[in-house]
Amino acid sequence: VDDGDSLQQASTINGVPVVERLDRQDGEATMGIIYKDRYLVELKTRSTRALELLREFATRLDLAKLP
């Protein structure tokens, strides 16, 4: 959903479902990563490259280390 001021979308990163949210007014982005239908990892940042930074970071997470 993109209403001009904010964006919210579901996608995948490395085959793992994620929900991305971006507030264009203040540049804050949040990413919720759902792993093994058991864990919810939330990442948050504020930057002009907010979603790009979160996507880069999420690809580097080694979620397989979670029990």
Side-chain angles (χ1 to χ4, degrees), residues 5 13 36 49 53 57:
D5 291 330
I13 293 181
K36 290 187 176 181
R49 300 179 38 230
L53 290 172
F57 186 80

Side-chain angles (χ1 to χ4, degrees), residues 13-25:
I13 293 181
N14 295 335
V16 177
V18 300
V19 176
E20 302 171 327
R21 290 178 216 96
L22 173 65
D23 183 331
R24 290 188 178 100
Q25 292 181 354

